[in-house]
Structure formats: structure tokens, C-alpha cells
Amino acid sequence: MTATITSLYERRVELVKTTLKEHSKMSDKAALELAEHVLYAMDHIAETVR
């Protein structure tokens, strides 16, 4: 048995992707691409604004 290491970023992307798919008719690929854009934008918002 091999353990798979998942980074915190990968977990966040998967969470956003799953949420997008649950609330839309988006394909897996489209949800993944949008999830990456969403996280990029969120990561670049100043802490005081969040």
C-alpha cells in the first residue's frame, strides 16, 4: 500500500471544485480550472479585506 501525499493547496482546490460541481452543471475539467482561478484570487486579496 502506498500513501498519497496531498498538499493543502490540492485539498483546497478539490473543495472548491466539488462545491462548484454540486451547485452547477459544470464539467469536472471546467470546475477544476475555475477552482484554481478562485483560489488564486482569494489568495491575493489583502488579509485586512478578507
Side-chain angles (χ1 to χ4, degrees):
M1 182 181 344
T2 304
T4 302
I5 299 173
T6 305
S7 72
L8 181 56
Y9 174 77
E10 290 171 326
R11 286 189 230 163
R12 292 172 67 212
V13 168
E14 189 61 32
L15 175 66
V16 175
K17 181 182 92 169
T18 302
T19 303
L20 289 169
K21 286 188 68 176
E22 287 176 354
H23 297 281
S24 70
K25 295 180 180 180
M26 233 178 249
S27 70
D28 200 51
K29 182 180 177 193
L32 174 62
E33 290 174 2
L34 184 55
E36 290 171 343
H37 288 290
V38 167
L39 285 178
Y40 178 84
M42 290 179 65
D43 287 345
H44 288 84
I45 295 172
E47 188 68 34
T48 55
V49 177
R50 284 192 256 169

